[in-house]
């Protein structure tokens, strides 16, 4: 499904590029699209950073648990 959406978006962008080359597209419309994409990208990056921080926290906790487990292995 993701590949289909990527292909569809590429097709749309190709068509828009053709229209722009013929000077049949307003620059303001392209600027609006760029603003929307930049905003969406920023939202996705923020979510990624939050998720990444959570993964880092979990990995840190697991490392501590592993160290405690290894200490038990040495004592046995």
């Amino acid at each position: 499904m993701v590949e289909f959406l990527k292909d569809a978006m590429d097709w749309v962008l190709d068509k828009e590029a053709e229209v722009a080359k013929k000077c049949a597209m307003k620059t303001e419309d392209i600027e609006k699209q760029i603003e929307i994409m930049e905003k969406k990208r920023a939202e996705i990056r923020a979510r990624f950073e939050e998720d990444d921080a959570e993964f880092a926290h979990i990995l840190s906790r697991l490392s501590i648990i592993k160290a405690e487990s290894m200490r038990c292995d040495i004592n046995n």
Side-chain angles (χ1 to χ4, degrees):
M1 183 66 166
V2 173
E3 191 63 32
F4 169 77
L5 292 175
K6 181 181 172 210
D7 291 344
M9 182 55 70
D10 284 341
W11 182 83
V12 169
L13 292 171
D14 288 343
K15 296 300 174 191
E16 285 190 352
E18 290 174 18
V19 171
K21 286 179 187 175
K22 295 176 184 176
C23 298
M25 181 175 250
K26 294 180 183 176
T27 303
E28 296 84 23
D29 292 340
I30 299 168
E31 289 173 347
K32 287 178 188 176
Q33 290 179 7
I34 291 170
E35 289 175 14
I36 291 167
M37 288 293 109
E38 287 175 340
K39 182 180 177 184
K40 187 66 174 173
R41 185 180 190 192
E43 291 170 2
I44 290 170
R45 281 188 178 191
R47 268 188 285 160
F48 167 80
E49 289 174 5
E50 290 173 12
D51 291 347
D52 188 53
E54 184 61 28
F55 276 107
H57 172 73
I58 292 168
L59 287 168
S60 175
R61 298 274 316 267
L62 286 170
S63 293
I64 292 168
I65 293 167
K66 178 183 173 186
E68 290 173 356
S69 176
M70 290 173 67
R71 187 177 45 132
C72 294
D73 291 344
I74 293 172
N75 291 334
N76 288 332

